[in-house]
Amino acid sequence: MNKLIAIAVATAFAFNVNAQSVQDGAKMISYGRFESAKKALEPLAAKDPLANYNLGISELELENAAAARTIFAKYPDDFYNQAGMARVLFDEGKKDEASKILMAIVDKAKKKEWEKYKAAADAITYTKGGNANDAIAWYKKAIEISGGDASTFIGLGDAYLKLSGGGGEAMNNYDKAVEKGTNNSLAYSKIGDLWYQAHNYDAALKSYGQAKDADPSNPLPYKSLADAYQRAGKYDMALTNIEKFLELSDKSIDDQITYANLLFLSKKYPEAQAKIQELIGKGVQKTYMYRLIAYSAYETKDYQKALDNMRTFYSKQDPAKIIPDDYIYSGKIMSAMAGVDSVHAKMYNDSADFYFNKVVTADTSKDKSEMYRKIAEGFKDAKEYGKAGIWYGKIIASNPEAPALDYFYWGYGAYYAKDYTTAAKAFNGLKTKYPDEGSAYLWIANVAAAVDDEAKTGGAIQPYKDWIAFNKNNYEHKQADLMKAYQYMAFYYYNTNNEKDAMEYVNKILEIEPSNTFANQVKDYYTKQKNAKPAGGGKSAGRK
């Protein structure tokens, strides 16, 4: 008798272990840990149809549809595995065949067999091609029969998200899942995602915190936080959260590439390159990895490496999947190569123009300002100021409401390209649009001084006086700029025999730089004039 009891207890214990293992596998699937789920479920699948079903789901999520089909086929009469086969069919685009299998499952459901409705509904919710309204109806039937568990309410919420405007009902069902108290971490993660999409960031952060507290092993809230911080441009915070996500996740190839991408966005360019090279060394071949190496190499000024990897990327990438940034970085790389390879500079500059013009054609967005800005910054980084100015000018032409900095760099680029007419237009535009920007007044004067480089017409006198008088927003007049202004003004007044005004600015120069050669020459000239008899003669002073 005692022996029989012992056998019964052992059998019950084994059953509970298996059941728990299947539940663990299902939880791993819900957390996106498909490789871990496979390892947990493979020893159980031969004797347990539900374990086999979850094993097939893991393979399907890992994009191993053929393996999933083979697994589901092992239990052709089990409704879970039939629903799994429907998922494979949806994945293959065989919508009608898949729907027929699911209808057969629910049609054969007996009074209390709520699991059949849920399995059929899941097959639609977590694939593409099915009718979300059928899934919603089947989840509701399952809840009607059983009262609903957390997983069913989560599934129903996910199904509503497939409908336009279904976010409210999705939130209601995630809240009901929380009330059940058995799968709170996943439910809170999904609630956080909904709040984030609604731009209620405080509520989203609170929900992600609740998800982490409910199950510290759940990697999903960390992934969501990383995504949120990335979109907000807070790349260091994104990196911190993706690193925590990687600790808890299966570290899939895509997850590791996401990590490398965040390293790049956080300006950790050598680390981003090293991570991608590590994956390539392990035999991973994803075309867009070469894109990331090329981008990172450019940012570390390893232009040849950037060029080589960009060429590899183009040779492997589907042309339909090339993005505007690819053309922009190609143009930036070519511009940089022109600066380091003078023999082939024209070829590289022509190639840069080709890629930058190509991105304009490829970009179908109505507002191209951001794209123009990226191109302009590429030329600016390569010290091709004239070309940078042209592209900043395109920003202004397409969007006169552009920021003051765009107006400034438009003029700055034109100035250093000695296109003073365009430079004057840009800085006058800056002054008109942003009258409280002191730099506009300075550079209007600088342009006028460049046009009158021998200080004969006095065209920059009033602009410099306007700039010197500018005192809005605690504007700081830098000594180097004051020196330039004073020298021009002193030189002009010297050229026009206006000793009084010339000496006013000579003295201002000497206050800043007592040893200034130009100022001392003018001062000496006037001193000698006073000590000598009136006589003709030319002037020999010139600006330092």
Side-chain angles (χ1 to χ4, degrees):
M1 185 70 177
N2 289 339
K3 184 177 181 180
L4 290 174
I5 291 173
I7 292 172
V9 170
T11 302
F13 178 76
F15 174 78
N16 287 334
V17 169
N18 285 353
Q20 188 63 44
S21 297
V22 173
Q23 290 174 7
D24 288 344
K27 183 173 81 168
M28 290 173 188
I29 290 171
S30 71
Y31 287 173
R33 298 185 59 193
F34 308 120
E35 287 288 356
S36 294
K38 275 181 62 177
K39 291 177 182 178
L41 295 165
E42 280 174 338
L44 309 174
K47 296 181 179 180
D48 188 332
L50 185 56
N52 189 80
Y53 163 73
N54 281 295
L55 177 60
I57 297 299
S58 299
E59 291 285 14
L60 201 54
E61 292 292 348
L62 290 167
E63 300 182 3
N64 300 326
R69 173 185 279 277
T70 300
I71 290 168
F72 293 134
K74 292 177 181 178
Y75 290 91
D77 298 326
D78 174 71
F79 72 88
Y80 277 116
N81 286 276
Q82 290 170 355
M85 190 63 77
R87 293 199 193 198
V88 173
L89 292 168
F90 276 130
D91 185 68
E92 294 173 348
K94 299 174 182 177
K95 174 183 174 182
D96 292 341
E97 291 181 47
S99 298
K100 184 177 179 180
I101 290 174
L102 298 180
M103 289 302 299
I105 292 172
V106 298
D107 286 345
K108 293 176 183 178
K110 295 179 181 178
K111 188 174 182 180
K112 295 184 178 181
E113 291 181 332
W114 64 272
E115 295 95 337
K116 290 185 176 180
Y117 290 100
K118 181 179 182 300
D122 284 347
I124 291 175
T125 301
Y126 301 111
T127 56
K128 295 180 180 179
N131 186 333
N133 286 307
D134 286 341
I136 290 168
W138 292 339
Y139 283 126
K140 288 182 176 179
K141 184 65 176 179
I143 292 168
E144 178 189 327
I145 295 170
S146 66
D149 65 356
S151 179
T152 306
F153 281 115
I154 289 172
L156 180 53
D158 290 347
Y160 271 114
L161 285 182
K162 302 188 84 167
L163 300 180
S164 177
E169 285 296 333
M171 182 71 84
N172 290 338
N173 282 283
Y174 297 149
D175 285 336
K176 290 176 182 177
V178 170
E179 291 173 10
K180 292 294 178 179
T182 55
N183 204 358
N184 283 7
S185 187
L186 182 61
Y188 280 130
S189 292
K190 290 179 178 289
I191 289 169
D193 290 343
L194 280 178
W195 281 128
Y196 186 85
Q197 290 164 16
H199 306 294
N200 189 334
Y201 304 119
D202 289 340
L205 290 172
K206 179 182 176 182
S207 295
Y208 292 142
Q210 290 171 314
K212 291 187 285 187
D213 292 341
D215 184 356
S217 72
N218 181 4
L220 297 181
Y222 296 101
K223 178 69 177 295
S224 295
L225 283 167
D227 290 343
Y229 284 123
Q230 179 181 347
R231 280 178 275 182
K234 297 180 179 180
Y235 301 122
D236 287 342
M237 290 295 293
L239 194 58
T240 297
N241 280 279
I242 202 68
E243 286 172 346
K244 183 63 177 177
F245 167 77
L246 286 173
E247 286 179 26
L248 300 172
S249 73
D250 281 353
K251 301 177 182 62
S252 72
I253 297 303
D254 285 341
D255 291 336
Q256 292 185 67
I257 291 174
T258 297
Y259 175 52
N261 186 54
L262 283 171
L263 285 169
F264 170 79
L265 293 172
S266 302
K267 302 187 185 302
K268 299 181 184 295
Y269 305 121
E271 293 90 339
Q273 289 185 68
K275 185 62 184 177
I276 293 297
Q277 294 286 8
E278 173 193 326
L279 294 172
I280 291 174
K282 292 178 180 178
V284 178
Q285 285 295 323
K286 299 274 188 179
T287 300
Y288 50 82
M289 294 164 66
Y290 295 98
R291 164 194 287 152
L292 191 54
I293 293 175
Y295 288 14
S296 298
Y298 169 81
E299 298 295 349
T300 56
K301 303 188 186 305
D302 191 345
Y303 302 129
Q304 187 61 56
K305 183 177 182 180
L307 180 60
D308 292 343
N309 279 276
M310 209 69 219
R311 285 172 172 166
T312 300
F313 168 76
Y314 282 125
S315 71
K316 295 175 177 290
Q317 180 69 309
D318 177 353
K321 294 182 179 179
I322 291 173
I323 61 175
D325 272 355
D326 295 331
Y327 295 132
I328 290 173
Y329 261 98
S330 293
K332 290 162 75 171
I333 291 166
M334 293 298 180
S335 290
M337 286 297 296
V340 298
D341 184 353
S342 58
V343 174
H344 301 101
K346 184 180 186 306
M347 176 190 73
Y348 286 125
N349 278 322
D350 288 347
S351 294
D353 288 339
F354 167 79
Y355 282 114
F356 287 139
N357 285 307
K358 194 173 183 65
V359 76
V360 173
T361 305
D363 189 344
T364 58
S365 59
K366 185 176 181 180
D367 183 3
K368 299 182 187 292
S369 297
E370 191 57 35
M371 181 264 294
Y372 289 150
R373 189 172 292 106
K374 288 181 179 180
I375 297 172
E377 287 172 353
F379 279 122
K380 179 163 65 71
D381 291 345
K383 295 183 170 49
E384 291 277 347
Y385 297 117
K387 291 183 178 179
I390 290 170
W391 287 95
Y392 278 112
K394 290 179 184 289
I395 298 174
I396 306 305
S398 65
N399 178 22
E401 302 302 315
L405 205 56
D406 290 338
Y407 277 91
F408 174 80
Y409 279 123
W410 176 27
Y412 186 84
Y415 175 86
Y416 278 101
K418 301 187 184 225
D419 180 359
Y420 299 128
T421 300
T422 300
K425 180 179 178 182
F427 290 124
N428 277 294
L430 173 60
K431 179 182 175 183
T432 300
K433 191 71 181 174
Y434 299 99
D436 291 342
E437 283 289 337
S439 60
Y441 296 80
L442 170 63
W443 281 91
I444 288 171
N446 284 344
V447 171
V451 172
D452 183 27
D453 63 338
E454 294 184 356
K456 291 183 177 180
T457 69
I461 292 291
Q462 191 57 49
Y464 273 130
K465 287 183 176 180
D466 291 343
W467 170 68
I468 292 169
F470 183 87
N471 62 358
K472 296 179 181 178
N473 300 325
N474 298 314
Y475 179 79
E476 179 185 358
H477 294 77
K478 295 180 180 179
Q479 282 194 345
D481 295 326
L482 286 168
M483 180 67 79
K484 185 173 183 177
Y486 294 155
Q487 285 190 335
Y488 172 86
M489 297 165 88
F491 195 26
Y492 170 72
Y493 288 124
Y494 169 78
N495 282 337
T496 56
N497 295 313
N498 185 337
E499 178 184 353
K500 176 178 176 296
D501 288 339
M503 283 305 300
E504 177 185 347
Y505 292 103
V506 162
N507 289 329
K508 289 180 184 291
I509 293 169
L510 293 174
E511 285 177 15
I512 297 173
E513 185 185 328
S515 63
N516 184 271
T517 302
F518 163 71
N520 281 301
Q521 283 181 346
V522 174
K523 184 178 179 180
D524 290 345
Y525 169 78
Y526 285 124
T527 300
K528 291 177 181 178
Q529 286 286 90
K530 290 178 181 178
N531 295 333
K533 293 180 180 180
K539 303 169 185 161
S540 60
R543 281 184 292 177
K544 180 179 178 180

